[in-house]
Amino acid sequence: MDTALLIEKFSLVIIVFLISLGIAAYSTYFERKLAAWIQDRIGPDRAGPFGLLQPIADGVKMFMKEDFIPKNSDKWLFIIGPGISMFTALITSTIIPWGPPIEIFGRQISLQIADFNIGVLFIFGVVSIGVYGIMIGGWASNNKYSLFGAIRASSQMISYELAMGISLITIILLTGSLSLTDIVKSQHGMNWNIFYQPVCFLIFFICSLAETNRAPFDLAECESELVGGYHTEYSSMKLGLFLFAEYVSMFISSALMAILFFGGYNFPGMDYFDGNTLAILGVLAFFTKTFLFIFVFMWIRWTIPRFRFDQLMHLGWKTLIPAAIINMLITAIVIAFNKGWF
Amino acid sequence: MNAISNEQVLNRLNEFFAADIRTSDEPYGLLTLEVNPSKAYEMIDWLKNDSVLQCSFLTNIAAVHYPTDTNREIAVVYQLHSWRNNFRLRLKAFLPIANPSISSIVEIYNGANWMERETFDFYGVNFTGHPNLCRILNEDSMDYFPMRKEFHLEDETREDKDDRYFGRF
Amino acid sequence: MESFTNRKKVVSDKPMTFIEKLYLPAIFSGMMITMKHILKRKKTIKYPEEIRVFAPVYRGQHVLKRDEEGRENCTACGLCAVACPAEAITMVADERKRGEENLYREEKYASTYEINMLRCIFCGLCEEACPKEAIFLTDRIVPTEFERADFIYGKDKLVESIDDRIDITLRQNTGKRGAI
Amino acid sequence: MEAKEHYKANELTDLSKDTIDGEIATINFGPTHPSTHGIFQNVLQVDGEKIVSAEQTVGYIHRAFEKLAERRPYNQITPITDRLNYCSSPINNIGWEMTVEKLIGAEIPKRVQYMRVIIMELARIADHLICDSVIGVDAGALTSFFYPFTEREKIYELYEEICGARLTTNIGRIGGFERDFNETFHTKLKSFLKTFPPAFEEFNSMLERNRIFMDRTKGAGPISAERALNYSFTGPNLRAAGVDYDVRVAQPYSSYEDFDFNIPVGVNGDTYDRFMVRQEEIRQSMRIIQQAYSNLPEGPYKADLPEFFLPPKAEVYNQMEALIYHFKIIMGETHIPAGEVYHAVEGGNGELGYYLISDGGRNPYRLQFRRPCFIYYQAYPEMIKGMTISDAVLTLSSMNVIAGELDA
Amino acid sequence: MGKIENLEVINGEGYQLTTLDKAIGLARANSVWPLPFATSCCGIEFMATMGSTYDMSRFGMERMSFTPRQADLLIVAGTISKKLGPVLKQIYEQMAEPKWVLSVGACASSGGIFDTYSVLQGIDRIIPVDVYVPGCPPRPEQIIDGVINIHKLVKLESMRRRYSDEYKHLMKNYQIDINDERNK
């Protein structure tokens, strides 16, 4: 194996890992600030300038807090739960194409840890493991609120994954590939999928909200009903992992939306640039889009009320899945017409 | 919405319950009747369904402790309200403290449930026929009825007050 | 149910229109409202740095006033203690000795005057009860403490110091019981 | 019932099924559950998410108000009433003062009555704002908590100008107010009248016609008018069930007969109706305040009651008679007639009644508060039976159960 | 603030806090997650403190932890009756170390106006209280003052407070077993 490739990939892994964590940490800060602004407040401003050290303070505090395991809980599962959540949230970042290839020391480096040719399937595979973290954690806590949260989370994820998957088939039909790299490449310039598939985007967006357990689908942990939901019994860094995983997966979902529908690192007028300039601008474009989605996620959370559990199921099974299927059929027919199959 | 005068109400009641109304009074314009405790249930039931009076709303149930009135120490006070005729009516039933027992009116008004439990909690009035007559506000382990006049209000365990200053020798 | 009055107004019988059934319009209009608030000026008062103006009649920490010559007004009549619903005021009366005329205005004074600030509910009844203009509530807030014992405010904390008088004229001039 | 059908349409499982096939779990809501907004306990028996039965435990902040009132002179009871329904303390204060005034047969000047109306309606707005914002929070719209609270702060400022406190106001005295409305109050009230309606409508528009919110609240915890009456409901919760009973109209006090306002009523008595009724009541309260304020008569801010209303301080120092009254009032030595009075006001949650028995002594012989919360909260298990846990939470917050009033 | 020095002695580590301790204290002080045990009137003022005008989130405190496991600061706001006392104690025991208690308002601190048979005359009879806030209810300013005082304590609190003898002694006085597994 090529040592240079190993080093390259290893440093990329570290960088992506750190960036994901950093963005997740600062998402918490940004969420608090945004919530405050929406609510006519100013938000955290004591820890460091403008409260910028707030996430670090939170992290340190959680690290130093007493870590205990309830007596009647299943000890190992209790520990594994948050681990799975965090692991699955982070592992998705491996196949995200962060930008166009960059050239360092004469090497062409692709800004993607691994380019699977089944990237989309990989994401679905990993995300569906993610629910186990919540489920195991909630079940192991031996607390009824946790159990309710876990059950809600798992049934919600299963239902919404279906609609999400079906809606994505249209994108795969359009591109003709399961690889994220190909999907991004096919959206060169302003040739973004959103212009062809707005309905599909809407479905995907709603499902992402549900998949990441964000409002208005935050039933698994809704404070007013289930106290803390699946993490009621968790304290210290285990709780931190759960909370972190939520933000990481929000980041990844936003990145996915940028890739699938908004052209990833493509931006209008990209043909005028090449080489490393293009790479840097591409990365910037990608992150701008991602942050925009993170902002929308938060904006929604602080605006609208949440669903009731049965209404959530109702929306998932009776509205989103049929809509996704119809959308898929129409797209398939249109594509077939264009290719002259009929 | 024409109000009935207290006199008319009393006359109407006297037609049916003349023997059970012991005294009647009108403090501050509110007709107050002292009734035979054993007939209280029947009267309230009748008042609710009577087509003329339509006294169909139970405002509250309270009890009062008169330690000096021998054999009628505890008064249970029912306040009824007729929205149709816009008059209020107060029924009092005096009970001996040795056996303060009166029929529960939960069957007539579901809302009486907690009011009766509260009255039991405070005064120990035994509402016979109540589905779940137990303490409601105080701890179950409490062994007295705190609103009776002979019991102290103050918490005996506080340390930051000097009883001498507040007339509690 | 038939109505008892002619003022009835049914408020919740509007059926959902088709547009409302689509979820999105209401969500968007809600999001527009919140967006408007993001851009608005913030209403927060950063407390320890900025201090909100209290009403002059605010019922905060008590003060035992001195008169113009610096003598304590309180004559230990005990009315404030009687008027206190929380029974937070205790006092011991003492007779003014010769040579103390510059300290106490009346022949009787309170040698001990204690308010238990943890019991106090700041209802202002003591201020009303005082016939000697001795006790007033002020618009200062009572500081928080670490120990319970620190909340027994004796004369050292209650009586205003001669050099640092507490101005309560604003409070008296707000029309309280026709003080003007 | 329409509400039930609506509910069924939103439900995947069939609610009419009486037999329970699953296992029944017990969950404890409270005493410190975030949905209780106070301290009381609901033990729910649930089959999945469906509630099979519920039982409440109350009394966690029982403070023995009624016993306390038997040990305090009349003027010291006002601060105690503050703590009944602490979201709208001025209504409790003024209701109590009016009870005593009724007992002693005092004649209250028109200006005082109008001032009281203004203060009480402000308090009603403050009370309903809390309840409605909390419904929003429990439905998940966290921001809807903050906008009304900013408006509440303005009401607090208004209280503060008159009485010097924000929440537990101890406002007013037997016979009137402790001071007249001052200049700052007038300015602030005028600006409040101008700025509040748009801010309120903005808050309203975030929830009122939002389908998510409507779906959540419609059909949640309904109660029919007959059942509500049987449970002695009063106030917004009863009006939501469609009964237009309001103490302010049925038995007007403090000149409420002078004002033109509507009684908002709902249809199904569910959470949405309760929310809507409260929202409309806020608008009606604004109307009343506007009418009362623009017609505020001239005159004294207190009744001529030398035996009960403390004389001006200046007179206390100079006039023997005033000094004697001052001491008599504070020591509670004034003549109080023996008798029994029931007086009811329309509190934030319904008919707030004071049943006062006086034996002529310094303290009331017996004072019973008719606390609307305590009475209607007992219907809660019936209302949430067959609903989901989420509905139970919303029903609870829309019933506006205030722990202070519940447990007294 | 003469009391802080004394409290530092109670913490057992002496006057010399290490740099690490200081950093941790600083971090903790900026991230105190409150558990609002709001029972009555003070709860409404506490809500006002959370509201836009006062905004407790400036201190990094907007995340309410209604589950005791995750909370650092128990804010007891409102009357605690004798019936509720055991519940409060249980909540306190369930909280993870390090934990602090802020007693807001007259009722929680001393019983206040309610010197009655059913009200606990001060929560310091069942759990240790770090800071008392007077007032009935306190203004939001006072609650924030209390929180700032809590912060002062938190900054001085050493990492190992749980194992110090003084702390064990204090807990023993309150009959709280710190080695208990604390199951619900």
Side-chain angles (χ1 to χ4, degrees):
Chain A
M1 189 111 166
D2 188 356
T3 327
L5 185 71
L6 263 183
I7 294 171
E8 176 200 317
K9 287 294 176 195
F10 190 71
S11 37
L12 200 62
V13 166
I14 299 283
I15 289 169
V16 166
F17 182 74
L18 288 180
I19 285 179
S20 302
L21 286 185
I23 286 178
Y26 273 86
S27 297
T28 64
Y29 169 74
F30 183 63
E31 168 130 47
R32 289 161 94 159
K33 272 288 189 195
L34 186 72
W37 292 334
I38 284 179
Q39 293 155 357
D40 298 336
R41 310 183 273 127
I42 46 179
D45 69 343
R46 293 295 154 130
F50 306 106
L52 276 170
L53 299 179
Q54 189 65 46
I56 297 168
D58 279 333
V60 171
K61 183 209 76 177
M62 281 203 276
F63 256 118
M64 300 315 297
K65 194 135 175 84
E66 182 195 1
D67 184 19
F68 67 80
I69 297 167
K71 206 198 306 184
N72 293 333
S73 67
D74 190 319
K75 197 175 169 194
W76 288 110
L77 292 183
F78 191 79
I79 295 169
I80 288 171
I84 295 180
S85 271
M86 195 67 193
F87 170 76
T88 49
L90 278 173
I91 202 87
T92 336
S93 59
T94 47
I95 55 155
I96 303 268
W98 302 96
I102 200 165
E103 209 178 278
I104 299 172
F105 309 125
R107 269 185 73 92
Q108 188 82 359
I109 296 173
S110 134
L111 290 181
Q112 186 181 19
I113 295 174
D115 179 18
F116 297 166
N117 52 5
I118 48 151
V120 177
L121 287 186
F122 176 78
I123 288 174
F124 277 104
V126 170
V127 165
S128 37
I129 298 174
V131 72
Y132 282 95
I134 291 177
M135 235 188 94
I136 290 174
W139 185 80
S141 302
N142 190 30
N143 176 318
K144 277 167 192 153
Y145 293 127
S146 305
L147 187 65
F148 268 107
I151 294 171
R152 282 181 175 190
S154 42
S155 48
Q156 169 183 336
M157 290 227 188
I158 289 165
S159 319
Y160 277 74
E161 232 158 56
L162 276 178
M164 199 178 190
I166 296 170
S167 76
L168 268 192
I169 292 178
T170 47
I171 298 295
I172 296 164
L173 280 172
L174 276 181
T175 322
S177 166
L178 284 169
S179 151
L180 289 184
T181 324
D182 292 347
I183 292 177
V184 172
K185 275 182 186 154
S186 73
Q187 305 181 52
H188 191 80
M190 269 297 264
N191 189 24
W192 298 350
N193 283 338
I194 175 78
F195 302 120
Y196 304 105
Q197 291 293 346
V199 178
C200 176
F201 168 69
L202 199 64
I203 296 170
F204 187 83
F205 182 71
I206 294 171
C207 294
S208 309
L209 285 175
E211 287 282 301
T212 48
N213 271 328
R214 296 285 301 181
F217 304 100
D218 55 344
L219 281 113
E221 50 180 326
C222 57
E223 206 152 67
S224 56
E225 293 161 27
L226 299 182
V227 190
Y230 57 88
H231 60 67
T232 305
E233 290 284 329
Y234 280 89
S235 71
S236 159
M237 209 52 210
K238 291 204 217 62
L239 168 74
L241 286 182
F242 267 137
L243 298 184
F244 236 60
E246 186 190 321
Y247 282 97
V248 173
S249 50
M250 185 169 80
F251 167 58
I252 301 292
S253 294
S254 307
L256 270 180
M257 267 186 279
I259 289 166
L260 294 172
F261 294 97
F262 287 82
Y265 51 73
N266 294 304
F267 55 95
M270 64 190 290
D271 295 330
Y272 299 106
F273 305 98
D274 56 353
N276 281 355
T277 329
L278 176 67
I280 289 165
L281 285 176
V283 171
L284 279 181
F286 176 75
F287 275 102
T288 314
K289 290 169 194 169
T290 310
F291 289 146
L292 197 73
F293 280 113
I294 294 182
F295 170 73
V296 174
F297 265 68
M298 290 171 179
W299 185 15
I300 286 181
R301 166 162 181 192
W302 295 101
T303 304
I304 53 177
R306 73 169 72 86
F307 285 90
R308 196 171 61 206
F309 188 66
D310 54 300
Q311 289 161 354
L312 173 112
M313 286 296 164
H314 190 86
L315 183 74
W317 288 96
K318 293 193 181 163
T319 312
L320 291 182
I321 292 181
I325 291 175
I326 292 169
N327 188 42
M328 178 187 77
L329 287 177
I330 292 172
T331 316
I333 290 168
V334 170
I335 288 174
F337 260 116
N338 277 353
K339 293 195 174 166
W341 287 356
F342 285 109
Chain B
M1 223 173 118
N2 38 352
I4 306 184
S5 75
N6 285 341
E7 207 177 334
Q8 285 168 299
V9 177
L10 191 59
N11 289 341
R12 174 82 185 164
L13 268 164
N14 270 330
E15 282 176 34
F16 295 86
F17 292 97
D20 300 310
I21 297 174
R22 291 181 180 160
T23 61
S24 71
D25 194 9
E26 281 183 45
Y28 299 92
L30 205 156
L31 184 62
T32 305
L33 309 173
E34 192 201 323
V35 300
N36 180 357
S38 56
K39 281 290 170 69
Y41 177 91
E42 213 174 300
M43 267 179 92
I44 292 166
D45 197 17
W46 178 84
L47 277 164
K48 183 182 181 184
N49 298 316
D50 182 50
S51 54
V52 180
L53 296 181
Q54 296 184 42
C55 220
S56 58
F57 186 81
L58 174 71
T59 303
N60 66 347
I61 299 176
V64 193
H65 185 204
Y66 297 100
T68 49
D69 271 11
T70 329
N71 261 337
R72 31 184 284 141
E73 287 94 346
I74 301 272
V76 178
V77 186
Y78 298 92
Q79 301 215 54
L80 303 170
H81 193 177
S82 165
W83 290 350
R84 181 62 45 217
N85 302 310
N86 205 11
F87 72 88
R88 290 182 195 273
L89 178 63
R90 189 184 289 141
L91 303 180
K92 282 186 172 183
F94 284 90
L95 308 169
I97 201 153
N99 177 27
S101 214
I102 192 166
S103 294
S104 162
I105 58 162
V106 175
E107 277 169 37
I108 312 171
Y109 293 106
N110 289 122
N113 190 329
W114 281 17
M115 302 185 202
E116 287 180 354
R117 275 178 72 185
E118 190 192 21
T119 313
F120 167 75
D121 191 353
F122 284 166
Y123 288 94
V125 179
N126 180 22
F127 291 91
T128 51
H130 190 282
N132 177 26
L133 196 66
C134 58
R135 287 193 184 271
I136 181 163
L137 295 179
N138 289 304
E139 293 156 283
D140 291 331
S141 56
M142 198 174 225
D143 55 355
Y144 63 100
F145 300 107
M147 282 291 281
R148 291 190 182 173
K149 290 281 178 191
E150 66 262 32
F151 296 109
H152 285 289
L153 161 75
E154 283 83 13
D155 184 87
E156 310 284 322
T157 59
R158 70 195 139 40
E159 297 139 355
D160 58 341
K161 282 191 189 178
D162 192 340
D163 280 1
R164 285 170 301 157
Y165 289 116
F166 307 111
R168 293 189 300 251
F169 293 102
Chain C
M1 199 75 193
E2 80 278 55
S3 41
F4 294 106
T5 61
N6 49 4
R7 300 196 184 183
K8 195 167 170 173
K9 179 181 177 189
V10 181
V11 287
S12 66
D13 52 350
K14 221 163 81 181
M16 229 186 276
T17 61
F18 176 71
I19 296 196
E20 280 162 358
K21 276 188 184 157
L22 288 178
Y23 289 105
L24 294 176
I27 291 176
F28 280 131
S29 72
M31 285 170 77
M32 282 305 121
I33 291 174
T34 43
M35 180 52 101
K36 225 167 60 196
H37 278 271
I38 294 181
L39 307 171
K40 258 191 190 166
R41 220 165 64 85
K42 303 298 162 229
K43 292 183 176 125
T44 307
I45 301 164
K46 299 181 182 176
Y47 164 59
E49 291 89 34
E50 288 171 48
I51 290 171
R52 189 177 186 176
V53 185
F54 292 6
V57 295
Y58 183 72
R59 305 198 299 250
Q61 189 182 328
H62 310 68
V63 60
L64 285 174
K65 289 294 286 179
R66 296 172 185 272
D67 66 359
E68 296 81 39
E69 294 160 44
R71 301 175 300 185
E72 282 177 25
N73 282 352
C74 179
T75 175
C77 65
L79 275 193
C80 47
V82 172
C84 182
E87 299 175 336
I89 304 178
T90 47
M91 65 179 76
V92 177
D94 216 337
E95 219 164 297
R96 185 177 70 187
K97 309 230 165 44
R98 195 171 276 213
E100 291 179 334
E101 284 84 358
N102 59 336
L103 292 178
Y104 310 110
R105 195 174 63 180
E106 317 282 335
E107 286 96 54
K108 199 164 130 250
Y109 71 97
S111 61
T112 324
Y113 192 104
E114 282 180 355
I115 299 182
N116 185 343
M117 286 294 176
L118 271 191
R119 285 271 178 196
C120 177
I121 57 163
F122 303 93
C123 60
L125 291 183
C126 48
E127 180 184 15
E128 277 184 18
C130 184
K132 286 285 171 195
E133 279 196 322
I135 188 164
F136 284 96
L137 277 72
T138 61
D139 55 1
R140 299 171 301 160
I141 55 176
V142 182
T144 55
E145 305 278 358
F146 298 96
E147 299 285 330
R148 192 168 169 157
D150 294 346
F151 283 101
I152 311 287
Y153 277 36
K155 279 180 82 174
D156 52 331
K157 283 184 181 169
L158 290 171
V159 181
E160 62 176 350
S161 77
I162 297 183
D163 317 316
D164 186 21
R165 305 292 287 261
I166 291 159
D167 185 29
I168 42 103
T169 46
L170 212 56
R171 179 179 194 84
Q172 282 173 301
N173 292 341
T174 49
K176 177 140 184 164
R177 287 169 47 201
I180 323 173
Chain D
M1 300 294 287
E2 202 191 332
K4 221 172 184 177
E5 276 160 24
H6 181 92
Y7 190 83
K8 263 186 189 163
N10 281 314
E11 182 73 348
L12 285 179
T13 51
D14 186 7
L15 277 182
S16 60
K17 192 170 57 178
D18 274 322
T19 50
I20 299 145
D21 42 26
E23 272 183 53
I24 301 215
T26 311
I27 43 174
N28 269 318
F29 267 36
T32 54
H33 191 273
S35 74
T36 55
H37 309 292
I39 299 287
F40 38 90
Q41 189 183 24
N42 294 308
V43 182
L44 308 178
Q45 305 274 339
V46 290
D47 172 23
E49 293 250 339
K50 189 178 108 183
I51 292 162
V52 178
S53 70
E55 200 185 340
Q56 317 104 304
T57 315
V58 301
Y60 284 112
I61 64 160
H62 175 50
R63 298 181 276 194
F65 276 23
E66 293 174 5
K67 187 92 176 170
L68 196 62
E70 289 176 12
R71 297 287 200 281
R72 296 281 185 271
Y74 287 83
N75 58 348
Q76 289 181 25
I77 290 174
T78 328
I80 300 174
T81 59
D82 270 336
R83 285 143 186 94
L84 270 173
N85 179 352
Y86 36 75
C87 296
S88 52
S89 329
I91 300 184
N92 311 341
N93 297 153
I94 293 172
W96 162 246
E97 282 145 18
M98 285 191 288
T99 313
V100 181
E101 282 155 14
K102 199 167 169 182
L103 179 76
I104 61 182
E107 191 78 31
I108 304 300
K110 206 76 174 163
R111 181 180 173 85
V112 176
Q113 296 189 0
Y114 273 51
M115 282 164 77
R116 282 181 172 172
V117 166
I118 292 173
I119 299 295
M120 282 197 281
E121 292 307 317
L122 281 174
R124 194 181 317 282
I125 291 174
D127 185 281
H128 288 354
L129 275 182
I130 281 210
C131 179
D132 281 347
S133 64
V134 160
I135 295 176
V137 171
D138 279 350
L142 298 168
T143 300
S144 70
F145 162 80
F146 289 89
Y147 298 163
F149 252 80
T150 322
E151 298 308 312
R152 260 181 75 88
E153 283 290 331
K154 292 178 188 157
I155 300 178
Y156 279 161
E157 277 181 32
L158 288 170
Y159 291 167
E160 204 181 309
E161 283 302 330
I162 312 168
C163 68
R166 284 159 53 85
L167 186 69
T168 46
T169 47
N170 187 16
I171 213 167
R173 297 290 177 259
I174 294 160
F177 279 88
E178 58 264 57
R179 56 177 75 79
D180 207 348
F181 288 172
N182 58 26
E183 270 318 302
T184 340
F185 179 86
H186 285 294
T187 338
K188 282 188 173 166
L189 182 64
K190 275 176 202 150
S191 97
F192 176 78
L193 288 175
K194 217 176 283 162
T195 57
F196 178 73
F200 170 71
E201 292 305 331
E202 185 186 79
F203 157 65
N204 188 49
S205 67
M206 281 185 74
L207 293 177
E208 186 189 339
R209 303 304 294 176
N210 185 332
R211 178 161 177 203
I212 302 179
F213 182 74
M214 286 171 89
D215 278 351
R216 281 295 304 276
T217 50
K218 277 205 165 180
I223 189 162
S224 69
E226 288 74 29
R227 293 303 296 155
L229 282 179
N230 203 348
Y231 271 116
S232 297
F233 270 45
T234 43
N237 293 346
L238 176 70
R239 289 193 279 274
V243 185
D244 57 340
Y245 172 70
D246 189 323
V247 186
R248 290 176 291 176
V249 177
Q251 300 183 322
Y253 51 89
S254 196
S255 296
Y256 266 110
E257 65 275 9
D258 295 0
F259 306 112
D260 175 34
F261 60 97
N262 290 329
I263 306 176
V265 295
V267 182
N268 302 319
D270 55 16
T271 300
Y272 186 68
D273 286 359
R274 284 189 281 272
F275 174 80
M276 291 299 285
V277 164
R278 286 208 170 82
Q279 293 288 73
E280 182 61 28
E281 272 187 30
I282 291 175
R283 294 191 194 103
Q284 299 298 336
S285 291
M286 284 305 285
R287 268 179 77 192
I288 298 174
I289 295 173
Q290 254 145 1
Q291 291 170 41
Y293 189 61
S294 54
N295 300 322
L296 192 65
E298 288 299 312
Y301 60 91
K302 57 182 169 103
D304 186 25
L305 281 176
E307 291 243 347
F308 291 93
F309 197 88
L310 287 166
K313 286 247 168 153
E315 281 178 29
V316 175
Y317 309 132
N318 302 325
Q319 294 175 15
M320 200 59 209
E321 199 185 359
L323 184 68
I324 291 170
Y325 274 128
H326 184 91
F327 268 77
K328 273 176 94 172
I329 294 168
I330 302 288
M331 306 295 281
E333 303 293 322
T334 44
H335 170 70
I336 291 178
E340 53 188 313
V341 183
Y342 179 80
H343 183 72
V345 293
E346 179 73 22
N349 285 327
E351 181 175 330
L352 177 66
Y354 301 83
Y355 176 42
L356 168 67
I357 300 180
S358 154
D359 62 348
R362 180 172 181 254
N363 310 334
Y365 187 76
R366 170 87 166 101
L367 175 60
Q368 203 243 2
F369 301 104
R370 182 202 190 272
R371 313 183 306 275
C373 269
F374 178 74
I375 292 167
Y376 65 61
Y377 181 50
Q378 49 186 319
Y380 181 61
E382 187 178 315
M383 289 163 79
I384 60 165
K385 196 168 182 180
M387 304 272 147
T388 61
I389 294 174
S390 316
D391 289 336
V393 170
L394 274 182
T395 309
L396 191 58
S397 53
S398 69
M399 280 172 90
N400 197 17
V401 182
I402 305 289
E405 193 173 82
L406 180 74
D407 293 342
Chain E
M1 302 298 148
K3 287 290 163 194
I4 290 183
E5 284 80 5
N6 298 340
L7 283 165
E8 199 178 341
V9 179
I10 293 172
N11 290 329
E13 293 287 302
Y15 292 89
Q16 298 298 317
L17 288 176
T18 64
T19 324
L20 180 64
D21 279 351
K22 266 185 196 157
I24 290 167
L26 207 61
R28 276 179 180 163
N30 279 303
S31 162
V32 177
W33 290 1
L35 167 66
F37 195 90
T39 60
S40 48
C41 334
C42 296
I44 303 290
E45 276 299 68
F46 180 71
M47 279 156 90
T49 319
M50 299 303 301
S52 309
T53 318
Y54 289 97
D55 190 16
M56 204 106 120
S57 73
R58 288 179 295 130
F59 304 92
M61 291 182 72
E62 78 268 56
R63 195 190 183 280
M64 294 285 161
S65 306
F66 285 100
T67 141
R69 309 281 188 203
Q70 301 162 9
D72 308 292
L73 173 63
L74 179 63
I75 297 185
V76 185
T79 320
I80 303 296
S81 70
K82 287 175 181 165
K83 194 173 176 179
L84 190 58
V87 179
L88 177 64
K89 186 164 181 174
Q90 196 188 14
I91 295 261
Y92 180 77
E93 285 172 4
Q94 281 175 356
M95 283 170 71
E97 289 282 348
K99 52 193 173 186
W100 295 271
V101 178
L102 180 68
S103 164
V104 173
C107 288
S109 307
S110 72
I113 189 174
F114 301 108
D115 176 15
T116 59
Y117 59 87
S118 61
V119 175
L120 192 70
Q121 303 294 303
I123 57 165
D124 44 8
R125 292 175 174 218
I126 49 171
I127 55 172
V129 176
D130 291 294
V131 174
Y132 298 89
V133 182
C136 190
R139 273 188 81 101
E141 278 94 343
Q142 281 169 294
I143 298 181
I144 292 177
D145 267 350
V147 166
I148 291 174
N149 269 346
I150 286 277
H151 286 178
K152 285 179 188 158
L153 277 183
V154 173
K155 281 178 195 160
L156 289 173
E157 199 97 23
S158 93
M159 265 170 76
R160 302 181 56 78
R161 124 168 159 154
R162 197 181 161 208
Y163 305 105
S164 72
D165 289 337
E166 284 82 355
Y167 187 66
K168 279 179 185 159
H169 182 68
L170 180 71
M171 287 294 122
K172 212 174 156 195
N173 278 349
Y174 282 102
Q175 288 159 5
I176 294 170
D177 184 3
I178 50 170
N179 296 317
D180 187 18
E181 283 285 296
R182 270 166 287 169
N183 98 76
K184 245 189 182 175

